[in-house]
Amino acid sequence: MKRAAASPPRAWQRMLSGRRLDLLDPSPLDIEIEDIAHGLARVARWNGQTTGDHAFSVAQHSVVVEEICVHLSPGLDPRWRLAALLHDASEYVIGDMISPFKAALGYDYKAIEQRLEQAIHIRFGLPARTPAEIRRLIKTADRVCAFFEAVQLAGFGREESIALFGAPPPGYDIEIEPLAPAPAQARYVERFQSLSEAAGFGPAAPSSAPG
């Protein structure tokens, strides 16, 4: 008697909007800003190993990185400020893995992350691939933010943080106070809508569950 072929492992996740996102072949049509904001507001930076009443969420981190990008590059085009806000958006479905674990997982993880990032960019009107100079700017801002997070929230010493992430710009300082998920989510959506309109893309259409 012939055995039925085994079904392939499930590679999609159902979102609260009702969308069903295929992680291996993500469609821009299945991506909603509300799902991204909801997920990122509940994903903890530093695997949750931070001080305070709330975890420091990827949503809040992303808003801070966008602010740092503007400090580093005054007059930055709203498109690229939006790209900065969305720089970790793929983590709403794959989580925020610490860098050593990403390196251990290797190419497959990076390929999935890149496909998700490209689908997110297309969904919101950005080029699928961010220009190299903008990627470098966002990476620099990301490391500046990581420095302040490490010192203020994650128990790192200043010199240790400089060795790992580099020193922040001279005279630049920020104070980070982790928000609860709901206000972090709301702030992320508000910033997205403001930047999207400033970039000429208009407000994102409200999500609706597929019929």
Side-chain angles (χ1 to χ4, degrees), residues 65 69 80 83-84 87 130 134-142:
V65 168
C69 280
W80 307 133
H87 80 282
T130 304
I134 302 300
R135 293 189 76 89
R136 286 194 292 270
L137 172 65
I138 294 171
K139 185 63 178 176
T140 299
D142 192 46

Side-chain angles (χ1 to χ4, degrees), residues 16-140:
L16 288 179
S17 66
R19 300 293 182 188
R20 194 169 80 167
L21 183 67
D22 186 335
L23 302 185
L24 301 181
D25 186 22
S27 167
L29 297 176
D30 292 325
I31 293 168
E32 303 290 353
I33 192 60
E34 294 88 352
D35 292 329
I36 292 174
H38 183 93
L40 294 186
R42 290 157 178 80
V43 174
R45 293 273 293 170
W46 305 92
N47 281 344
Q49 297 299 309
T50 51
T51 59
D53 294 333
H54 306 288
F56 185 63
S57 70
V58 175
Q60 188 176 356
H61 161 83
S62 299
V63 171
V64 176
V65 168
E66 186 259 322
E67 293 171 355
I68 296 171
C69 280
V70 176
H71 175 80
L72 296 174
S73 182
L76 184 65
D77 189 295
R79 288 178 303 162
W80 307 133
R81 294 172 66 175
L82 183 59
L85 183 74
L86 295 170
H87 80 282
D88 279 339
S90 63
E91 294 178 5
Y92 87 110
V93 286
I94 59 177
D96 180 27
M97 295 186 184
I98 58 174
S99 296
F101 195 35
K102 286 183 182 180
L105 290 174
Y107 174 78
D108 287 344
Y109 175 86
K110 291 301 296 180
I112 291 171
E113 186 178 48
Q114 286 170 4
R115 283 196 291 268
L116 281 165
E117 180 181 285
Q118 289 172 12
I120 289 165
H121 278 205
I122 292 168
R123 168 64 177 90
F124 299 122
L126 294 169
R129 293 184 180 276
T130 304
E133 65 179 297
I134 302 300
R135 293 189 76 89
R136 286 194 292 270
L137 172 65
I138 294 171
K139 185 63 178 176
T140 299

Side-chain angles (χ1 to χ4, degrees), residues 147 155-165:
F147 168 86
F156 286 67
R158 182 177 176 83
E159 294 308 314
E160 182 183 16
S161 297
I162 289 174
L164 289 170
F165 307 111

